[in-house]
Amino acid sequence: MKIVCIGGGPAGLYFALLMKQLGPHHDITVVERNKPYDTFGWGVVFSDQTLDNMRQWDPQTAAEVQQAFNHWDDIELHFKGRVIRSGGHGFVGIGRKKLLNILQARCEQLGVKLLFEQEADCDLDYPDADLIIASDGVNSKVRSRLPEVFQPDIVTRPNRFIWLGTNRLYDAFTFLFEKTEHGWFQAHVYKFDEHTSTFIVECPEHVWRAHGLDKADQDASIAFCEKLFAHNLQGQKLMTNARHLRGSAWLNFQRVKCAHWSHFNGHSHVVLMGDAVHTAHFAIGSGTKLALEDAIELVRQFKAIGDTAGCIPEVLRKYQAVREIDVIRLQNAAWNAMEWFEVCGERYCDQLEPEQFMYSMLTRSQRISHENLRLRDKGWLEGYEAWFARRTASPGIKPPMFTPYSLRSVTLKNRVVVSPMAQYMAEDGRVGDYHLVHLGARAMGGAGLVMVEMTAPSAEGRITHGCPGLWNDEQMVDFKRVTDWVHTQSDAKIGLQIGHAGPKGSTCRPWQGAGMDQPMAADDPQGNWPLLAASAQPYLPHGIVPKAMTRADMDRVTADFVASTRRAAQAGFDWLELHCAHGYLLSSFISPLTNQRTDAYGGSLDNRLRYPLEVFAAVRAAWPEHLPMSVRISAHDWVEGGITPADAVEIARAFKAAGADMIDCSSGQVSAKQKPTYGRMYQTPFADRIRQEAGIATIAVGAISEADHVNSILAAGRADLCAVARPHLANPAWTLTEAARIGYTDLAWPRAYVSGKPQLEAGFARERALQTATKGD
């Protein structure tokens, strides 16, 4: 085959040498616009795993890279006058020039033709090529020529960064944070050869502009950075090798993601590779890793399918199908890490103490979890666990989820909440034996707080005929039977979530009729009821149209909430939550998707919050002062024009000002048009942002299914409590089970169950030992 690689970066060079090694008969040319030593950047970073892959495919290149690289395990943080260090992280750093020179020399040894200082503007310039590798970088001309084919999704990020170097040598991957009168700057620093370290300085756009750096040339920018980090640089200068670039050399990162990676241009097959097809932010140092592993996978497919021109279409199809899975995973991690650095000045630097800031930074990508940190540096993590526990007046080394949490007069034994989950098993709004068993079992299961499903303040406020209510004293007595049992037979606390279904009421139980959220048939023997909402807008197009609430309706519903709250106190609940999420009545006022009012209760967010805040104030006044009260909100409607995470911060601030103790941060279910982005812990960022920016305690919810998730969230300060839903349906003793799974044996079991504790713990201990032994083989 005749192959042309447009772009002589790591992707193009490494593919060329691997492909030439696979088939010496291939005619391969690499075309590069720059001189051999003219390259942007200083050092690059990739993982030990990538180097292991290189050893398998070309031991000679890997050996030369290994001789030239710097390897380190430690990450060091300089923050607020403190230096904190953690080990076991495993990075490889090498000069970008050195890496390219190694790849260039290896290409020449194998017979690859290298053409420097040649512009390659278009893939059509090489009509005799069977295959064209477009590895021409983030601003790829090949990709730009055919956007309708490759369908690139390019996002320019807000932070500014400048890529510098210094002769000060660092023995760890070092992060420096400095505060100025206009905001925070951070530097990502690592040694890559015996003389030089990479020194990337980053800050938000508004901070960059406030310091006049938008008007500064390269020399002025370097002088500014030298002064800012003078204490750490210890007299060493900062240097640039970007003189060939115009302007100040401050850049914005561009996230590139393409829907299609290859194309037949009528003469040649063209495939994008490296930064041309996908980019990963330097916050996790994976751009070079992606490029090298792209090359490996493409050659792997040629080896498996056949390295002839006729095989190219199948090779390229399989290449994207296999490779994009790993790329998406790494891009998501890089996106999380990038966003952390973009918001850390506003969200974490001032709010968190150095110990917690370090933990938050280490877990920023969500690839590194609590137990993974224990494997990397057990001593550091246990020191951090002890620090976290001391702050809760609970000395000792213990996972954060098993530290107590106090709010007003209530102290939870741990940070696990059994999320309120609709059961649809009530009769006439009354709870019975089913609820006693259901809630009692979960109270015995080890969680600190058990929440009852949404309970209606009136018969018309129910979602279905099977939903509980608290509009009469008989219902209160039923609930008191449950709370008394929980208080006498367990050390858990029990809370009640009260809410009015509003436009989502009078629907079927999930297993009856047309199913969940569907309106009951008009001839249903149990009967429908009229609905209320902020506006006369049904949840589903074919749903019952609710009545837009009048002032009289508002007063009546508020009075119902107050009466239910007083009964909840009489029933003995320890905690109360007001449901203002998921498109129910109070949520229908908050979201602009469902509130079309033109009076004082519609329009601006302040107006849309007016009635929910009225209800909250009335409920808070009726609820005992010494008991906590939380509010559940939808922090994101997942629909254009709906509530955004930024709005959620303002919503949380409003409820905090009204007296709320905590915000339960859910999302969605406001519009049937929603398009959520699901994933593990996918709603935790809402809790994190609200906690830091609104300054109020939060509950994280959504796809939290392991102790590792809970500990990572709590330890990083992303939330104060974690609500676990579906796992508690599968296992009422989820908390006891997870404690045993991670080897935490100090959690007390119900006395009647204690005999089962050693067996469960021993079983998990054997599993952990087996996993450790297997990894060592």
Side-chain angles (χ1 to χ4, degrees):
M1 287 189 295
K2 185 174 178 59
I3 301 171
V4 175
C5 298
I6 299 177
L13 288 169
Y14 197 52
F15 172 78
L17 74 87
L18 291 183
M19 196 65 187
K20 190 69 172 178
Q21 183 176 253
L22 178 67
H25 58 284
H26 296 310
D27 180 355
I28 305 177
T29 303
V30 177
V31 183
E32 169 56 42
R33 59 186 287 186
N34 295 318
K35 300 175 183 178
Y37 286 90
D38 190 9
T39 180
F40 180 68
W42 292 86
V44 295
V45 177
F46 49 90
S47 66
D48 289 342
Q49 181 185 19
T50 301
L51 189 60
D52 288 341
N53 289 340
M54 294 177 72
R55 288 192 188 98
Q56 295 176 22
W57 285 88
D58 184 27
Q60 182 172 333
T61 300
E64 292 184 47
V65 170
Q66 185 168 0
Q67 287 180 353
F69 72 45
N70 281 267
H71 183 277
W72 63 95
D73 285 324
D74 291 356
I75 291 177
E76 188 169 277
L77 168 69
H78 294 240
F79 179 65
K80 293 182 178 178
R82 296 276 303 283
V83 178
I84 302 177
R85 194 174 180 114
S86 168
H89 300 283
F91 296 96
V92 175
I94 186 171
R96 180 174 170 82
K97 293 179 181 179
K98 183 65 176 178
L99 175 63
L100 293 179
N101 291 165
I102 290 172
L103 298 178
Q104 290 161 3
R106 183 67 174 135
C107 281
E108 289 174 339
Q109 289 172 10
L110 293 167
V112 175
K113 288 176 282 188
L114 303 180
L115 302 179
F116 292 101
E117 298 183 79
Q118 291 199 17
E119 289 287 345
D121 293 326
C122 181
D123 53 288
L124 296 175
D125 293 341
Y126 306 92
D128 57 340
D130 297 299
L131 176 66
I132 295 174
I133 305 296
S135 52
D136 51 342
V138 65
N139 296 311
S140 170
K141 291 182 179 180
V142 175
R143 185 193 67 225
S144 299
R145 187 178 75 83
L146 293 168
E148 71 281 3
V149 172
F150 296 114
Q151 297 180 26
D153 176 12
I154 302 175
V155 180
T156 300
R157 300 305 301 173
N159 269 20
R160 291 279 180 165
F161 70 93
I162 185 168
W163 202 321
L164 304 172
T166 180
N167 291 132
R168 189 193 162 184
L169 302 180
Y170 293 78
D171 64 349
F173 200 128
T174 303
F175 294 93
L176 313 175
F177 289 82
E178 294 290 344
K179 188 175 185 180
T180 71
E181 66 271 27
H182 298 300
W184 287 85
F185 283 78
Q186 57 255 12
H188 310 237
V189 190
Y190 52 89
K191 175 184 172 183
F192 63 86
D193 64 26
E194 63 271 21
H195 304 294
T196 327
S197 299
T198 290
F199 203 102
I200 306 172
V201 180
E202 182 185 13
C203 68
E205 177 90 9
H206 68 90
V207 176
W208 181 72
R209 291 187 179 278
H211 282 284
L213 293 169
D214 56 324
K215 300 179 179 65
D217 61 16
Q218 289 194 43
D219 289 334
S221 292
I222 291 170
F224 174 86
C225 293
E226 284 178 346
K227 182 178 179 181
L228 180 63
F229 295 102
H231 174 75
N232 191 271
L233 285 168
Q234 299 177 0
Q236 293 291 342
K237 297 293 186 181
L238 292 174
M239 306 173 289
T240 180
N241 61 7
R243 297 294 183 188
H244 61 292
L245 298 180
R246 296 178 181 178
S248 69
W250 288 89
L251 303 173
N252 294 89
F253 175 76
Q254 287 190 310
R255 196 291 312 276
V256 176
K257 182 168 63 173
C258 294
H260 300 287
W261 295 15
S262 61
H263 165 64
F264 182 69
N265 67 12
H267 302 283
S268 312
H269 291 279
V270 182
V271 60
L272 304 178
M273 188 178 290
D275 283 352
V277 67
H278 47 57
T279 57
H281 192 264
F282 56 82
I284 62 171
S286 293
T288 303
K289 170 186 171 71
L290 281 174
L292 295 172
E293 293 185 350
D294 280 353
I296 289 172
E297 187 56 45
L298 186 52
V299 174
R300 188 198 314 275
Q301 294 304 325
F302 273 116
K303 184 177 180 180
I305 297 171
D307 61 337
T308 65
C311 294
I312 292 176
E314 177 63 14
V315 165
L316 297 184
R317 185 196 65 78
K318 189 69 180 295
Y319 165 66
Q320 178 174 349
V322 172
R323 185 78 185 112
E324 69 181 343
I325 296 172
D326 285 338
V327 168
I328 290 171
R329 185 182 300 118
L330 198 141
Q331 278 194 312
N332 287 343
W335 184 276
N336 293 336
M338 172 192 70
E339 282 194 322
W340 189 93
F341 281 107
E342 288 173 351
V343 303
C344 65
E346 180 180 5
R347 196 173 296 173
Y348 306 119
C349 288
D350 292 316
Q351 291 89 331
L352 302 184
E353 296 179 53
E355 290 85 354
Q356 193 162 51
F357 187 86
M358 176 68 163
Y359 187 102
S360 179
M361 187 184 74
L362 290 176
T363 58
R364 64 190 180 275
S365 71
Q366 296 186 22
R367 289 195 307 170
I368 299 175
S369 67
H370 196 77
E371 293 307 312
N372 187 261
L373 281 175
R374 196 182 308 281
L375 292 174
R376 292 170 182 242
D377 192 341
K378 182 180 179 182
W380 179 85
L381 184 66
E382 288 186 347
Y384 179 72
E385 287 180 332
W387 175 86
F388 190 96
R390 286 195 302 271
R391 294 169 70 245
T392 66
S394 176
I397 299 172
K398 62 186 69 175
M401 67 186 287
F402 295 116
T403 59
Y405 184 78
S406 296
L407 199 55
R408 298 197 185 229
S409 67
V410 173
T411 296
L412 307 179
K413 63 178 179 179
N414 60 51
R415 311 275 185 125
V416 179
V417 178
V418 176
S419 198
M421 295 174 283
Q423 299 296 292
Y424 310 104
M425 296 296 287
E427 296 291 339
D428 296 324
R430 297 185 66 171
V431 298
D433 289 348
Y434 175 89
H435 300 85
L436 179 64
V437 173
H438 170 70
L439 296 167
R442 281 141 190 87
M444 297 275 280
L449 175 64
V450 177
M451 292 295 297
V452 176
E453 64 197 275
M454 188 178 90
T455 299
S458 64
E460 295 75 20
R462 291 174 295 170
I463 307 168
T464 74
H465 280 286
C467 293
L470 197 47
W471 63 80
N472 61 47
D473 290 344
E474 290 78 11
Q475 294 163 340
M476 182 272 292
V477 172
D478 293 339
F479 270 123
K480 191 172 189 308
R481 177 180 175 232
V482 175
T483 61
D484 284 348
W485 195 96
V486 169
H487 290 146
T488 57
Q489 300 298 325
S490 79
D491 54 0
K493 303 298 183 183
I494 184 166
L496 181 73
Q497 183 187 73
I498 57 170
H500 191 297
K504 295 177 75 174
S506 195
T507 60
C508 299
R509 292 176 172 93
W511 56 83
Q512 292 178 334
M516 182 178 290
D517 289 333
Q518 299 297 321
M520 290 185 295
D523 59 351
D524 190 292
Q526 289 190 288
N528 290 280
W529 56 84
L531 305 182
L532 296 173
S535 300
Q537 179 176 311
Y539 175 64
L540 298 176
H542 58 282
I544 300 172
V545 177
K547 173 190 175 186
M549 292 181 75
T550 64
R551 180 68 258 179
D553 293 326
M554 294 181 197
D555 291 341
R556 184 180 69 257
V557 170
T558 301
D560 290 340
F561 270 108
V562 168
S564 286
T565 298
R566 290 179 175 142
R567 290 190 177 97
Q570 287 180 276
F573 285 102
D574 304 299
W575 189 292
L576 189 69
E577 179 165 284
L578 182 64
H579 204 322
C580 296
H582 299 170
Y584 297 128
L585 181 68
L586 299 181
S587 171
S588 77
F589 275 85
I590 297 173
S591 175
L593 299 175
T594 50
N595 186 336
Q596 307 299 320
R597 301 176 74 97
T598 57
D599 61 4
Y601 294 90
S604 69
L605 179 60
D606 285 345
N607 282 359
R608 300 197 309 271
L609 278 168
R610 192 185 305 273
Y611 182 60
L613 288 172
E614 286 179 9
V615 174
F616 176 86
V619 169
R620 179 67 264 189
W623 183 242
E625 179 69 21
H626 66 284
L627 296 179
M629 185 171 168
S630 56
V631 178
R632 173 166 280 207
I633 67 169
S634 284
H636 196 330
D637 284 347
W638 303 106
V639 177
E640 186 175 351
I643 291 295
T644 67
D647 294 327
V649 173
E650 299 307 315
I651 293 167
R653 285 178 176 148
F655 279 110
K656 176 187 176 184
D661 298 303
M662 183 172 277
I663 303 297
D664 189 351
C665 304
S666 187
S667 71
Q669 301 180 55
V670 171
S671 168
K673 298 178 181 178
Q674 67 176 11
K675 294 182 179 179
T677 302
Y678 293 113
R680 60 189 178 91
M681 303 181 287
Y682 74 104
Q683 296 183 128
T684 297
F686 309 139
D688 186 10
R689 181 172 185 174
I690 288 170
R691 186 178 190 269
Q692 314 308 337
E693 295 184 18
I696 185 170
T698 59
I699 304 174
V701 307
I704 299 170
S705 59
E706 303 172 10
D708 214 11
H709 296 165
V710 177
N711 284 318
S712 299
I713 292 167
L714 298 173
R718 297 184 176 106
D720 299 271
L721 301 175
C722 287
V724 179
R726 289 176 177 85
H728 273 123
L729 292 179
N731 181 5
W734 181 86
T735 306
L736 300 180
T737 304
E738 288 299 296
R741 191 187 306 279
I742 64 173
Y744 181 69
T745 60
D746 290 341
L747 182 64
W749 279 44
R751 58 190 178 187
Y753 292 174
V754 167
S755 60
K757 184 173 185 283
Q759 185 179 45
L760 186 66
E761 292 170 346
F764 282 125
R766 285 192 298 272
E767 283 186 17
R768 291 193 299 273
L770 181 60
Q771 290 171 357
T772 301
T774 302
K775 288 178 181 178
D777 290 342

